[in-house]
Amino acid sequence: MKFYSFPPSPNVRKVNAVIAHLAIADIEHRIVNLAKGEHKRPEFLAINPMGKLPTIVHRGVTVTETAAIIGYLADAFPAAGLAPALDDPARGTWFRWLVFGASAFEPALLDTMMKRPEAQRASVGYGSYDDVLGALETMLEPGPWILGERFSAADVYVGAELAWAASFGAPGIAERPKLTGYIERAKARPAYQRTISA
Ligand SMILES: N[C@@H](CCC(=O)N[C@@H](CS)C(=O)NCC(=O)O)C(=O)O
């Protein structure tokens, strides 16, 4: 597998965390230096026309979008059990929150942190930032992980995103013990310690 990455990127770190959890050894690391603008050079744009990291090429197929990469790798390396099987109803919950992390939580977080003017709730996919945090709390019922006792790739994505948000004081998180407890559990995992905290 070729992994186009740049270590300081938060999304690259999430993929590093899933790689550590899955114990994938056969990886060709290709550093694309964002600081030097290497991601906008024609040779990289030919692989990912968005010029964004992370990007992987596995078995001849390019996969971009952090949540898609994480879900794809969990399926492609099933021994670690980070993805419910296709016929397991838990897969619906797993898919739901993995996609929610990328399609609702991340844009809500960035809009809030960048103080973008609030748009009409009905026309914004995530509704409101508060709605999103409230939904994340329900995601943890009963907990301790998204799939209950079972840690999964969805926790790698959402746990890292929440930890990242908390690390720069994103509003509404510190006062929600369900979210702070989840962040602490996610951060305590050895694979997280080896990758995201590094
Ligand atoms: N939707 C993409 C976003 C990826 C993204 O924005 N990556 C950042 C690094 S964390 C990047 O490549 N930034 C460089 C740029 O856009 O110029 C994903 O989920 O992977």
Side-chain angles (χ1 to χ4, degrees):
M1 178 172 98
K2 289 194 189 86
F3 180 21
Y4 296 87
S5 72
F6 187 56
S9 146
N11 282 319
V12 163
R13 286 173 174 222
K14 289 181 200 142
V15 172
N16 272 323
V18 86
I19 286 170
H21 277 96
L22 297 170
I24 306 172
D26 188 14
I27 299 177
E28 197 180 314
H29 289 275
R30 301 273 179 99
I31 300 296
V32 180
N33 192 318
L34 296 181
K36 291 185 179 162
E38 291 176 0
H39 53 306
K40 301 298 181 193
R41 289 188 185 155
E43 52 272 32
F44 183 66
L45 291 174
I47 299 160
N48 180 356
M50 290 295 288
K52 292 264 189 192
L53 299 175
T55 294
I56 65 164
V57 180
H58 183 230
R59 301 180 290 203
V61 171
T62 300
V63 188
T64 68
E65 310 315 307
T66 307
I69 294 172
I70 288 175
Y72 169 83
L73 289 177
D75 278 338
F77 296 87
L82 289 196
L86 289 178
D87 61 353
D88 182 341
R91 194 162 172 96
T93 307
W94 178 81
F95 239 139
R96 174 188 176 188
W97 295 110
L98 183 58
V99 172
F100 185 86
S103 69
F105 181 35
E106 192 183 66
L109 179 63
L110 293 180
D111 283 354
T112 301
M113 295 310 288
M114 291 177 177
K115 300 190 179 353
R116 293 194 177 120
E118 222 175 278
Q120 288 225 327
R121 280 186 183 199
S123 56
V124 180
Y126 62 76
S128 76
Y129 180 72
D130 274 351
D131 287 349
V132 168
L133 292 189
L136 289 173
E137 287 184 303
T138 70
M139 171 192 83
L140 294 170
E141 285 162 11
W145 304 111
I146 294 172
L147 300 181
E149 293 298 327
R150 179 175 176 185
F151 180 84
S152 75
D155 294 297
V156 175
Y157 186 94
V158 179
E161 187 76 18
L162 267 168
W164 183 63
S167 73
F168 54 77
I173 294 179
E175 52 271 44
R176 293 177 195 254
K178 268 199 184 128
L179 299 185
T180 53
Y182 177 64
I183 291 168
E184 290 318 309
R185 285 192 292 283
K187 284 167 64 176
R189 296 184 66 86
Y192 183 101
Q193 296 282 328
R194 285 202 304 279
T195 52
I196 298 199
S197 309

